[in-house]
Amino acid sequence: MGVTLIEFSLDKRSGVATYMQIVQQVEQAMRLGRLTPGDRLPTAAEVVGRLAINPNTVLRAYRELESRGLVEPRPGLGTFVRRSLARPRDPALERRLAAWVRDAREAGLGPDDIRALVESALSGGLIGEATA
Amino acid sequence: MNALELAGAGLRYGRTWALRGCFASVPQGRVAALVGPNGAGKSSLMRLAVGLRRADEGEVRVFGEPPRGANLPRVAFVAQDKPLYPELTVAETIRAGAGLNPRFDTPGARKRLDDLGIPQRKRIRQLSGGQRAQVAITLAVAKRADLVVLDEPLANLDPLARHEVMEGLMAAVAERGLTVLLSSHVVAELAEVCDHLILVSQGRVQVAGDIEELVAAHRLLVGPAGGPPAGSYDVVGRSDTERQTTLLVRLRGPVHDPRWTARELSLEDLVLGYLRAPDAVLAPRPVAL
Protein backbone atom coordinates (compact mmCIF):
# COMPACT_ATOMS: atom_id res chain seq x y z
CA MET A 1 0.00 0.00 0.00
CA GLY A 2 1.31 3.42 -0.91
CA VAL A 3 0.74 6.62 0.98
CA THR A 4 -2.73 8.06 1.16
CA LEU A 5 -2.80 11.08 -1.14
CA ILE A 6 -6.26 12.43 -0.44
CA GLU A 7 -8.97 11.92 2.13
CA PHE A 8 -12.65 12.37 1.48
CA SER A 9 -15.09 14.17 3.73
CA LEU A 10 -18.86 14.07 3.60
CA ASP A 11 -21.47 16.77 3.93
CA LYS A 12 -24.54 14.89 5.11
CA ARG A 13 -26.82 17.92 4.78
CA SER A 14 -25.82 18.83 1.22
CA GLY A 15 -28.46 16.65 -0.42
CA VAL A 16 -25.77 15.45 -2.87
CA ALA A 17 -25.56 11.64 -3.01
CA THR A 18 -22.55 10.29 -1.13
CA TYR A 19 -20.98 8.64 -4.17
CA MET A 20 -21.32 11.92 -6.10
CA GLN A 21 -19.57 13.82 -3.31
CA ILE A 22 -16.61 11.45 -3.71
CA VAL A 23 -16.67 11.93 -7.51
CA GLN A 24 -16.69 15.72 -7.06
CA GLN A 25 -13.86 15.65 -4.52
CA VAL A 26 -11.65 13.58 -6.83
CA GLU A 27 -12.37 15.94 -9.73
CA GLN A 28 -11.67 18.94 -7.52
CA ALA A 29 -8.34 17.45 -6.39
CA MET A 30 -7.45 16.80 -10.03
CA ARG A 31 -8.34 20.36 -11.05
CA LEU A 32 -6.20 21.78 -8.25
CA GLY A 33 -3.31 19.51 -9.20
CA ARG A 34 -3.43 17.60 -5.93
CA LEU A 35 -4.01 14.42 -7.94
CA THR A 36 -2.00 13.91 -11.09
CA PRO A 37 -1.76 11.05 -13.62
CA GLY A 38 -0.39 7.88 -12.05
CA ASP A 39 -1.57 8.70 -8.53
CA ARG A 40 -3.44 5.93 -6.74
CA LEU A 41 -6.84 6.69 -5.21
CA PRO A 42 -7.38 5.36 -1.69
CA THR A 43 -8.79 1.81 -1.68
CA ALA A 44 -12.42 1.25 -0.75
CA ALA A 45 -11.24 -0.29 2.54
CA GLU A 46 -9.16 2.81 3.33
CA VAL A 47 -12.06 5.13 2.58
CA VAL A 48 -14.71 3.26 4.54
CA GLY A 49 -12.26 2.71 7.40
CA ARG A 50 -12.40 6.47 7.89
CA LEU A 51 -15.91 7.41 6.82
CA ALA A 52 -17.99 4.43 7.99
CA ILE A 53 -19.91 4.21 4.71
CA ASN A 54 -20.83 1.26 2.54
CA PRO A 55 -17.85 0.13 0.38
CA ASN A 56 -20.16 -0.23 -2.61
CA THR A 57 -20.66 3.54 -2.47
CA VAL A 58 -16.93 4.07 -2.99
CA LEU A 59 -16.77 1.50 -5.78
CA ARG A 60 -19.70 3.20 -7.47
CA ALA A 61 -17.93 6.58 -7.29
CA TYR A 62 -14.80 5.04 -8.81
CA ARG A 63 -16.85 3.42 -11.58
CA GLU A 64 -18.38 6.81 -12.33
CA LEU A 65 -14.91 8.39 -12.48
CA GLU A 66 -13.80 5.56 -14.76
CA SER A 67 -16.76 6.11 -17.10
CA ARG A 68 -15.77 9.79 -17.25
CA GLY A 69 -12.34 8.65 -18.40
CA LEU A 70 -10.58 10.15 -15.37
CA VAL A 71 -9.32 7.03 -13.60
CA GLU A 72 -8.58 3.41 -14.45
CA PRO A 73 -8.62 0.31 -12.27
CA ARG A 74 -5.54 -1.91 -12.37
CA PRO A 75 -6.53 -5.32 -11.03
CA GLY A 76 -4.81 -6.15 -7.77
CA LEU A 77 -3.12 -2.74 -7.58
CA GLY A 78 -5.86 -0.17 -7.16
CA THR A 79 -7.50 2.67 -9.04
CA PHE A 80 -5.21 5.19 -10.71
CA VAL A 81 -5.62 8.69 -12.06
CA ARG A 82 -5.44 8.62 -15.86
CA ARG A 83 -5.22 12.20 -16.92
CA SER A 84 -4.77 15.70 -15.67
CA LEU A 85 -7.53 18.21 -15.14
CA ALA A 86 -5.18 20.84 -13.77
CA ARG A 87 -4.71 23.87 -15.98
CA PRO A 88 -1.27 25.48 -16.19
CA ARG A 89 -1.12 28.00 -13.34
CA ASP A 90 -1.53 31.66 -14.22
CA PRO A 91 0.05 33.69 -11.37
CA ALA A 92 -1.20 37.01 -12.73
CA LEU A 93 -4.78 35.77 -12.85
CA GLU A 94 -4.52 34.31 -9.34
CA ARG A 95 -3.07 37.59 -8.01
CA ARG A 96 -5.93 39.59 -9.47
CA LEU A 97 -8.49 37.19 -7.97
CA ALA A 98 -6.82 37.36 -4.56
CA ALA A 99 -6.83 41.17 -4.76
CA TRP A 100 -10.47 41.19 -5.80
CA VAL A 101 -11.46 38.86 -2.92
CA ARG A 102 -9.59 41.17 -0.52
CA ASP A 103 -11.47 44.20 -1.91
CA ALA A 104 -14.79 42.33 -1.60
CA ARG A 105 -14.04 41.45 2.05
CA GLU A 106 -13.10 45.03 2.80
CA ALA A 107 -16.39 46.11 1.22
CA GLY A 108 -18.11 43.94 3.86
CA LEU A 109 -19.04 40.92 1.70
CA GLY A 110 -19.14 37.49 3.35
CA PRO A 111 -18.14 34.19 1.71
CA ASP A 112 -21.71 33.49 0.56
CA ASP A 113 -22.02 37.00 -0.96
CA ILE A 114 -18.74 36.49 -2.80
CA ARG A 115 -19.78 33.05 -4.06
CA ALA A 116 -23.11 34.47 -5.24
CA LEU A 117 -21.28 37.20 -7.17
CA VAL A 118 -18.92 34.72 -8.79
CA GLU A 119 -21.80 32.39 -9.71
CA SER A 120 -23.69 35.33 -11.16
CA ALA A 121 -20.66 36.47 -13.16
CA LEU A 122 -20.17 32.93 -14.48
CA SER A 123 -23.74 32.76 -15.70
CA GLY A 124 -23.41 36.16 -17.36
CA GLY A 125 -25.80 37.86 -14.96
CA LEU A 126 -23.68 40.79 -13.77
CA ILE A 127 -24.48 44.29 -14.95
CA GLY A 128 -21.72 45.79 -17.04
CA GLU A 129 -20.29 42.44 -18.06
CA ALA A 130 -18.59 42.63 -21.41
CA THR A 131 -20.58 40.76 -24.01
CA ALA A 132 -18.17 41.21 -26.89
CA MET B 1 -25.96 -15.76 -5.50
CA ASN B 2 -27.97 -14.82 -2.45
CA ALA B 3 -26.17 -14.90 0.86
CA LEU B 4 -29.47 -15.26 2.66
CA GLU B 5 -32.90 -16.36 1.49
CA LEU B 6 -36.08 -16.68 3.46
CA ALA B 7 -38.80 -18.54 1.59
CA GLY B 8 -42.02 -18.43 3.56
CA ALA B 9 -39.99 -18.91 6.74
CA GLY B 10 -41.70 -18.93 10.13
CA LEU B 11 -40.65 -19.57 13.72
CA ARG B 12 -42.72 -20.27 16.78
CA TYR B 13 -42.04 -20.41 20.47
CA GLY B 14 -44.45 -22.97 21.89
CA ARG B 15 -47.78 -22.17 20.27
CA THR B 16 -46.97 -18.54 19.56
CA TRP B 17 -45.63 -17.66 16.14
CA ALA B 18 -42.83 -15.09 16.36
CA LEU B 19 -42.49 -14.96 12.57
CA ARG B 20 -44.78 -16.19 9.82
CA GLY B 21 -44.44 -16.53 6.07
CA CYS B 22 -41.35 -14.37 5.68
CA PHE B 23 -39.92 -13.72 2.23
CA ALA B 24 -36.63 -11.86 1.82
CA SER B 25 -33.27 -12.27 0.16
CA VAL B 26 -29.92 -10.57 0.67
CA PRO B 27 -27.52 -10.76 -2.31
CA GLN B 28 -23.87 -11.54 -1.60
CA GLY B 29 -21.67 -8.56 -0.71
CA ARG B 30 -24.53 -6.43 0.56
CA VAL B 31 -24.90 -4.71 3.90
CA ALA B 32 -28.49 -5.28 4.91
CA ALA B 33 -30.36 -3.36 7.57
CA LEU B 34 -32.83 -5.35 9.62
CA VAL B 35 -35.18 -2.81 11.14
CA GLY B 36 -38.50 -2.82 12.94
CA PRO B 37 -40.09 -2.09 16.29
CA ASN B 38 -39.03 -3.97 19.41
CA GLY B 39 -40.74 -7.34 19.56
CA ALA B 40 -41.48 -7.37 15.82
CA GLY B 41 -39.37 -10.46 15.17
CA LYS B 42 -35.89 -9.11 14.34
CA SER B 43 -34.09 -11.39 16.79
CA SER B 44 -36.11 -14.40 15.65
CA LEU B 45 -35.19 -13.69 12.03
CA MET B 46 -31.51 -13.51 12.99
CA ARG B 47 -31.75 -16.77 14.93
CA LEU B 48 -33.13 -18.43 11.79
CA ALA B 49 -30.42 -16.90 9.60
CA VAL B 50 -27.54 -18.15 11.75
CA GLY B 51 -29.02 -21.60 12.40
CA LEU B 52 -29.66 -21.13 16.13
CA ARG B 53 -33.24 -22.20 15.35
CA ARG B 54 -34.72 -24.21 12.53
CA ALA B 55 -37.67 -22.79 10.66
CA ASP B 56 -41.03 -24.20 11.77
CA GLU B 57 -42.43 -23.44 8.31
CA GLY B 58 -40.88 -22.54 4.99
CA GLU B 59 -37.16 -22.51 4.34
CA VAL B 60 -34.02 -20.57 5.24
CA ARG B 61 -30.97 -20.77 3.00
CA VAL B 62 -27.50 -19.35 3.48
CA PHE B 63 -25.51 -19.40 0.24
CA GLY B 64 -28.08 -21.81 -1.13
CA GLU B 65 -27.98 -24.34 1.73
CA PRO B 66 -29.70 -24.57 5.12
CA PRO B 67 -27.62 -22.98 7.89
CA ARG B 68 -26.48 -26.15 9.62
CA GLY B 69 -23.75 -28.76 9.58
CA ALA B 70 -20.95 -28.06 7.11
CA ASN B 71 -22.55 -24.76 6.14
CA LEU B 72 -22.38 -23.30 9.67
CA PRO B 73 -18.74 -22.06 9.52
CA ARG B 74 -19.86 -19.66 6.77
CA VAL B 75 -22.06 -17.77 9.23
CA ALA B 76 -21.07 -15.70 12.25
CA PHE B 77 -23.37 -14.15 14.81
CA VAL B 78 -22.55 -11.24 17.10
CA ALA B 79 -25.28 -11.15 19.76
CA GLN B 80 -26.39 -7.87 21.24
CA ASP B 81 -24.74 -8.31 24.63
CA LYS B 82 -21.40 -9.23 22.89
CA PRO B 83 -21.04 -12.40 24.95
CA LEU B 84 -17.30 -12.64 25.68
CA TYR B 85 -15.67 -14.09 28.78
CA PRO B 86 -14.93 -11.07 31.00
CA GLU B 87 -12.01 -12.71 32.83
CA LEU B 88 -10.16 -13.80 29.68
CA THR B 89 -7.55 -11.50 28.19
CA VAL B 90 -7.99 -10.39 24.58
CA ALA B 91 -5.15 -12.76 23.55
CA GLU B 92 -6.83 -15.69 25.35
CA THR B 93 -10.13 -14.79 23.67
CA ILE B 94 -8.43 -15.02 20.26
CA ARG B 95 -6.90 -18.40 21.23
CA ALA B 96 -10.35 -19.64 22.29
CA GLY B 97 -11.75 -18.48 18.96
CA ALA B 98 -9.00 -20.38 17.14
CA GLY B 99 -9.75 -23.52 19.16
CA LEU B 100 -13.48 -23.40 18.42
CA ASN B 101 -13.45 -22.51 14.73
CA PRO B 102 -11.73 -24.67 12.08
CA ARG B 103 -10.97 -21.86 9.62
CA PHE B 104 -9.94 -19.25 12.22
CA ASP B 105 -7.49 -16.58 11.03
CA THR B 106 -5.36 -15.91 14.13
CA PRO B 107 -2.73 -13.61 12.51
CA GLY B 108 -5.53 -11.61 10.86
CA ALA B 109 -7.35 -11.23 14.18
CA ARG B 110 -4.16 -10.09 15.99
CA LYS B 111 -3.37 -7.59 13.26
CA ARG B 112 -6.91 -6.20 13.27
CA LEU B 113 -6.81 -5.68 17.04
CA ASP B 114 -3.37 -4.01 16.77
CA ASP B 115 -4.67 -1.71 14.04
CA LEU B 116 -7.59 -0.81 16.31
CA GLY B 117 -5.22 -0.13 19.20
CA ILE B 118 -6.76 -2.77 21.48
CA PRO B 119 -4.10 -4.15 23.88
CA GLN B 120 -4.15 -7.93 23.88
CA ARG B 121 -2.88 -8.25 27.47
CA LYS B 122 -6.01 -6.60 28.83
CA ARG B 123 -8.92 -8.56 30.21
CA ILE B 124 -12.24 -8.26 28.41
CA ARG B 125 -13.83 -6.65 31.48
CA GLN B 126 -11.23 -3.85 31.36
CA LEU B 127 -12.23 -2.84 27.83
CA SER B 128 -14.67 -0.08 26.91
CA GLY B 129 -17.99 -0.98 25.31
CA GLY B 130 -16.68 0.05 21.91
CA GLN B 131 -13.55 -2.07 22.30
CA ARG B 132 -15.63 -5.09 23.37
CA ALA B 133 -17.76 -4.61 20.25
CA GLN B 134 -14.57 -4.46 18.15
CA VAL B 135 -13.27 -7.70 19.71
CA ALA B 136 -16.59 -9.45 19.05
CA ILE B 137 -16.59 -8.26 15.42
CA THR B 138 -12.93 -9.28 15.06
CA LEU B 139 -13.82 -12.83 16.14
CA ALA B 140 -16.66 -12.93 13.60
CA VAL B 141 -14.39 -11.70 10.80
CA ALA B 142 -11.51 -14.01 11.78
CA LYS B 143 -13.86 -16.97 11.67
CA ARG B 144 -13.74 -16.33 7.90
CA ALA B 145 -17.51 -16.30 7.83
CA ASP B 146 -19.07 -15.09 4.61
CA LEU B 147 -22.27 -13.87 6.26
CA VAL B 148 -21.95 -11.89 9.50
CA VAL B 149 -25.14 -11.23 11.44
CA LEU B 150 -25.00 -8.55 14.14
CA ASP B 151 -27.79 -7.85 16.62
CA GLU B 152 -27.84 -4.13 17.48
CA PRO B 153 -24.04 -3.73 17.15
CA LEU B 154 -24.22 -0.04 18.05
CA ALA B 155 -26.49 -0.26 21.06
CA ASN B 156 -25.01 1.23 24.25
CA LEU B 157 -22.05 2.82 22.44
CA ASP B 158 -21.13 6.50 22.50
CA PRO B 159 -21.11 8.40 19.17
CA LEU B 160 -17.35 8.09 18.60
CA ALA B 161 -17.38 4.35 19.36
CA ARG B 162 -20.39 3.89 17.05
CA HIS B 163 -18.47 5.54 14.25
CA GLU B 164 -15.33 3.49 14.92
CA VAL B 165 -17.24 0.20 15.09
CA MET B 166 -18.94 1.00 11.77
CA GLU B 167 -15.61 2.00 10.19
CA GLY B 168 -14.08 -1.31 11.28
CA LEU B 169 -17.04 -3.31 10.03
CA MET B 170 -17.17 -1.52 6.66
CA ALA B 171 -13.41 -2.00 6.18
CA ALA B 172 -13.91 -5.74 6.78
CA VAL B 173 -16.73 -5.74 4.22
CA ALA B 174 -14.43 -4.06 1.69
CA GLU B 175 -11.46 -6.34 2.37
CA ARG B 176 -13.25 -9.66 2.70
CA GLY B 177 -16.33 -9.19 0.53
CA LEU B 178 -18.50 -10.07 3.52
CA THR B 179 -22.25 -9.98 3.48
CA VAL B 180 -23.65 -8.30 6.58
CA LEU B 181 -27.08 -8.36 8.18
CA LEU B 182 -27.33 -5.94 11.07
CA SER B 183 -30.30 -5.00 13.16
CA SER B 184 -31.01 -1.60 14.57
CA HIS B 185 -33.97 0.46 15.54
CA VAL B 186 -32.21 3.73 14.77
CA VAL B 187 -32.80 3.96 11.03
CA ALA B 188 -31.04 7.30 10.50
CA GLU B 189 -27.60 5.91 11.32
CA LEU B 190 -27.95 3.10 8.78
CA ALA B 191 -28.49 5.23 5.70
CA GLU B 192 -24.80 5.61 4.79
CA VAL B 193 -23.90 2.06 5.70
CA CYS B 194 -26.64 -0.21 4.39
CA ASP B 195 -27.69 -0.82 0.81
CA HIS B 196 -30.38 -3.38 1.51
CA LEU B 197 -33.45 -3.30 3.75
CA ILE B 198 -35.49 -5.89 5.59
CA LEU B 199 -38.31 -4.26 7.55
CA VAL B 200 -39.97 -6.58 10.05
CA SER B 201 -43.20 -5.72 11.78
CA GLN B 202 -45.78 -7.76 13.63
CA GLY B 203 -43.99 -11.03 13.00
CA ARG B 204 -43.55 -10.80 9.23
CA VAL B 205 -41.31 -9.19 6.65
CA GLN B 206 -43.20 -6.09 5.59
CA VAL B 207 -40.67 -4.58 3.16
CA ALA B 208 -37.54 -6.12 1.63
CA GLY B 209 -35.28 -4.96 -1.15
CA ASP B 210 -32.51 -2.72 -2.45
CA ILE B 211 -32.65 0.60 -0.58
CA GLU B 212 -31.89 2.76 -3.60
CA GLU B 213 -34.59 1.04 -5.64
CA LEU B 214 -37.06 1.34 -2.77
CA VAL B 215 -36.36 5.04 -2.31
CA ALA B 216 -36.57 5.66 -6.07
CA ALA B 217 -39.92 3.88 -6.28
CA HIS B 218 -41.65 5.93 -3.58
CA ARG B 219 -42.85 9.52 -3.40
CA LEU B 220 -44.64 11.73 -0.96
CA LEU B 221 -47.44 13.44 -2.89
CA VAL B 222 -48.93 16.62 -1.45
CA GLY B 223 -52.01 18.17 -3.02
CA PRO B 224 -55.46 19.62 -2.47
CA ALA B 225 -57.91 17.83 -0.17
CA GLY B 226 -60.16 15.32 -1.83
CA GLY B 227 -59.52 13.27 -4.95
CA PRO B 228 -56.08 11.70 -5.45
CA PRO B 229 -54.05 12.70 -8.54
CA ALA B 230 -54.21 10.89 -11.87
CA GLY B 231 -51.46 8.37 -12.46
CA SER B 232 -50.40 4.83 -11.79
CA TYR B 233 -49.34 4.14 -8.21
CA ASP B 234 -50.18 2.23 -5.03
CA VAL B 235 -51.09 4.21 -1.94
CA VAL B 236 -49.11 3.10 1.11
CA GLY B 237 -50.29 5.76 3.54
CA ARG B 238 -52.53 8.80 3.56
CA SER B 239 -53.21 11.72 5.84
CA ASP B 240 -55.82 14.42 5.34
CA THR B 241 -56.43 17.92 6.61
CA GLU B 242 -59.31 20.18 5.62
CA ARG B 243 -57.30 21.73 2.79
CA GLN B 244 -54.61 19.21 1.96
CA THR B 245 -54.05 15.52 1.29
CA THR B 246 -50.67 13.82 1.73
CA LEU B 247 -50.05 10.43 0.15
CA LEU B 248 -47.13 8.06 0.50
CA VAL B 249 -47.17 6.14 -2.78
CA ARG B 250 -45.24 3.48 -4.60
CA LEU B 251 -44.98 4.56 -8.22
CA ARG B 252 -45.90 2.25 -11.07
CA GLY B 253 -45.79 5.03 -13.63
CA PRO B 254 -45.61 8.82 -13.77
CA VAL B 255 -48.02 10.97 -11.77
CA HIS B 256 -49.22 13.92 -13.81
CA ASP B 257 -51.30 16.44 -11.99
CA PRO B 258 -49.96 19.99 -11.71
CA ARG B 259 -51.84 20.59 -8.45
CA TRP B 260 -49.77 17.92 -6.72
CA THR B 261 -46.12 18.08 -5.73
CA ALA B 262 -43.98 14.96 -5.44
CA ARG B 263 -41.07 14.70 -3.05
CA GLU B 264 -38.49 11.93 -2.64
CA LEU B 265 -38.31 10.25 0.74
CA SER B 266 -35.37 9.47 2.97
CA LEU B 267 -34.91 5.88 4.11
CA GLU B 268 -36.19 6.91 7.52
CA ASP B 269 -39.36 8.48 6.07
CA LEU B 270 -39.94 5.35 4.03
CA VAL B 271 -39.57 3.03 7.01
CA LEU B 272 -41.82 5.20 9.18
CA GLY B 273 -44.39 5.39 6.37
CA TYR B 274 -44.61 1.60 6.15
CA LEU B 275 -44.65 1.15 9.92
CA ARG B 276 -47.67 3.49 10.05
CA ALA B 277 -49.36 1.36 7.39
CA PRO B 278 -49.02 -2.22 8.65
CA ASP B 279 -51.26 -3.61 5.91
CA ALA B 280 -48.96 -2.43 3.10
CA VAL B 281 -46.53 -5.23 2.31
CA LEU B 282 -43.69 -5.02 -0.21
CA ALA B 283 -41.61 -8.16 0.05
CA PRO B 284 -41.27 -9.82 -3.35
CA ARG B 285 -40.96 -13.58 -3.45
CA PRO B 286 -37.66 -14.73 -4.94
CA VAL B 287 -38.08 -16.03 -8.49
CA ALA B 288 -35.81 -19.03 -7.97
CA LEU B 289 -38.12 -20.45 -5.32
Side-chain angles (χ1 to χ4, degrees):
Chain A
M1 289 286 142
V3 288
T4 304
L5 296 170
I6 57 166
E7 284 182 343
F8 302 119
S9 56
L10 295 182
D11 181 354
K12 292 196 174 160
R13 291 170 304 172
S14 70
V16 178
T18 303
Y19 88 96
M20 191 47 74
Q21 292 190 38
I22 293 174
V23 167
Q24 289 169 352
Q25 285 172 36
V26 170
E27 285 187 339
Q28 173 84 342
M30 289 172 69
R31 277 203 191 90
L32 295 173
R34 263 185 260 139
L35 282 177
T36 55
D39 285 344
R40 187 179 64 85
L41 297 183
T43 64
E46 286 165 355
V47 176
V48 303
R50 266 184 42 79
L51 292 183
I53 60 172
N54 190 306
N56 294 322
T57 306
V58 183
L59 300 177
R60 182 169 174 197
Y62 286 8
R63 276 200 304 276
E64 174 63 28
L65 288 162
E66 187 189 347
S67 76
R68 294 183 185 191
L70 300 177
V71 303
E72 63 183 345
R74 292 184 206 151
L77 293 174
T79 303
F80 291 82
V81 176
R82 258 185 76 186
R83 38 180 265 230
S84 174
L85 285 181
R87 307 198 147 268
R89 294 189 63 175
D90 183 339
L93 204 60
E94 288 174 18
R95 265 198 308 278
R96 273 154 61 204
L97 178 63
W100 180 83
V101 169
R102 202 167 47 241
D103 290 349
R105 284 220 174 96
E106 275 166 18
L109 272 63
D112 288 338
D113 303 318
I114 293 174
R115 261 181 231 119
L117 270 183
V118 172
E119 286 294 325
S120 180
L122 281 173
S123 57
L126 280 191
I127 302 165
E129 179 149 327
T131 47
Chain B
M1 159 80 92
N2 283 327
L4 175 64
E5 277 172 358
L6 304 178
L11 176 63
R12 68 176 174 214
Y13 298 99
R15 276 193 220 150
T16 310
W17 287 91
L19 283 175
R20 285 223 80 165
C22 293
F23 287 87
S25 56
V26 180
Q28 195 166 1
R30 295 301 196 90
V31 182
L34 177 60
V35 301
N38 289 332
K42 298 195 294 285
S43 296
S44 297
L45 194 149
M46 282 184 281
R47 291 174 151 264
L48 286 178
V50 301
L52 278 174
R53 284 286 309 261
R54 269 197 211 186
D56 293 306
E57 65 171 1
E59 278 191 67
V60 176
R61 290 180 198 162
V62 171
F63 300 102
E65 301 285 335
R68 52 178 181 260
N71 202 24
L72 265 188
R74 299 193 73 180
V75 193
F77 182 47
V78 179
Q80 184 173 352
D81 45 3
K82 325 271 178 348
L84 302 166
Y85 296 100
E87 293 304 323
L88 290 191
T89 65
V90 174
E92 287 164 348
T93 302
I94 295 298
R95 269 204 295 283
L100 292 167
N101 295 285
R103 299 197 286 173
F104 201 80
D105 174 17
T106 302
R110 292 224 172 97
K111 179 175 183 306
R112 188 165 193 276
L113 292 170
D114 284 344
D115 291 347
L116 293 165
I118 296 174
Q120 295 181 31
R121 293 168 288 103
K122 278 206 175 178
R123 294 186 191 281
I124 296 295
R125 65 175 158 78
Q126 297 172 300
L127 301 179
S128 69
Q131 288 175 320
R132 270 201 292 274
Q134 297 284 27
V135 172
I137 290 171
T138 299
L139 289 175
V141 172
K143 190 186 167 183
R144 296 187 211 261
D146 299 305
L147 170 65
V148 176
V149 178
L150 304 104
D151 191 357
E152 296 278 354
L154 304 179
N156 307 320
L157 298 183
D158 64 65
L160 180 60
R162 296 165 99 83
H163 203 262
E164 286 172 352
V165 166
M166 255 335 164
E167 286 168 356
L169 186 61
M170 290 304 105
V173 170
E175 283 159 8
R176 298 270 338 275
L178 293 179
T179 308
V180 172
L181 175 68
L182 63 94
S183 73
S184 177
H185 50 255
V186 187
V187 178
E189 69 190 7
L190 302 175
E192 289 295 340
V193 170
C194 297
D195 50 19
H196 210 83
L197 176 72
I198 299 179
L199 171 60
V200 179
S201 71
Q202 300 176 355
R204 77 255 142 93
V205 172
Q206 194 186 354
V207 180
D210 179 277
I211 288 175
E212 206 171 277
E213 285 173 17
L214 286 170
V215 168
H218 290 80
R219 290 289 185 283
L220 199 68
L221 302 180
V222 182
S232 177
Y233 54 84
D234 299 318
V235 176
V236 176
R238 170 179 186 141
S239 72
D240 292 281
T241 66
E242 200 175 308
R243 302 270 171 86
Q244 186 174 286
T245 296
T246 304
L247 301 171
L248 170 57
V249 302
R250 185 164 74 93
L251 299 174
R252 281 189 273 124
V255 173
H256 14 237
D257 189 329
R259 296 170 305 157
W260 289 73
T261 57
R263 184 164 72 72
E264 276 203 19
L265 292 129
S266 67
L267 175 63
E268 197 172 5
D269 294 337
L270 189 73
V271 166
L272 289 173
Y274 271 92
L275 287 177
R276 287 191 194 108
D279 293 334
V281 174
L282 182 56
R285 301 176 177 216
V287 184
L289 299 157

